[in-house]
Amino acid sequence: MAVETKFVVVRKGEEKMTFASKKEADAYDKMLDMAEAFTDWLVQSELPLEEAQLENLGLFLAEQKDAVQHILRTSKLPEAQPAVKTPKTAVAETDAGKAQDDAGKKVRAVKAA
């Protein structure tokens, strides 16, 4: 029997993601903190958007923090723009990563149930 160590990111009593390394779990937790801060800031802006839209926008900004920082510094888009990952795309990639893990690849992240 094999023993596996997994690191679970839990928010408000809900499991968000499971990772194979503490470093990846910490990075994801930090990104969620940033997304929450962006969402709170957007709520204060009184934009005419629904709460779910504000949360998705906050998560998107946090996921794209490097591009946001570049735009703020230079007022220009980054030179080589990788494909923009939306929260739904990230989950799809996570599921694909789980399938690769079954084929012997390293676990990157798996969606928690």
Side-chain angles (χ1 to χ4, degrees), residues 8 13-18 98 110-113:
V8 181
E14 179 183 337
E15 291 185 14
K16 293 296 183 178
M17 294 284 267
T18 301
K98 184 178 177 185
V110 291
K111 181 79 175 158

Side-chain angles (χ1 to χ4, degrees), residues 20-104:
S21 77
K22 182 173 180 356
K23 183 179 177 182
E24 290 175 333
D26 287 341
Y28 186 77
D29 188 50
K30 184 176 179 181
M31 190 269 308
L32 290 178
D33 286 339
M34 190 182 313
E36 188 174 321
F38 274 128
T39 300
D40 292 345
W41 178 62
L42 291 167
V43 167
Q44 291 175 357
S45 73
E46 298 181 9
L47 289 171
L49 299 172
E50 294 179 18
E51 185 177 345
Q53 292 172 316
L54 294 170
E55 288 175 1
N56 286 335
L57 184 54
L59 185 58
F60 175 77
L61 290 171
E63 289 174 339
Q64 301 300 317
K65 76 173 187 155
D66 293 334
V68 170
Q69 289 173 342
H70 180 81
I71 293 167
L72 290 172
R73 275 193 319 272
T74 66
S75 298
K76 296 180 182 176
L77 290 175
E79 286 292 321
Q81 289 186 8
V84 176
K85 295 180 185 177
T86 63
K88 289 181 182 178
T89 306
V91 170
E93 288 180 2
T94 300
D95 291 342
K98 184 178 177 185
Q100 287 179 349
D101 180 49
D102 292 340

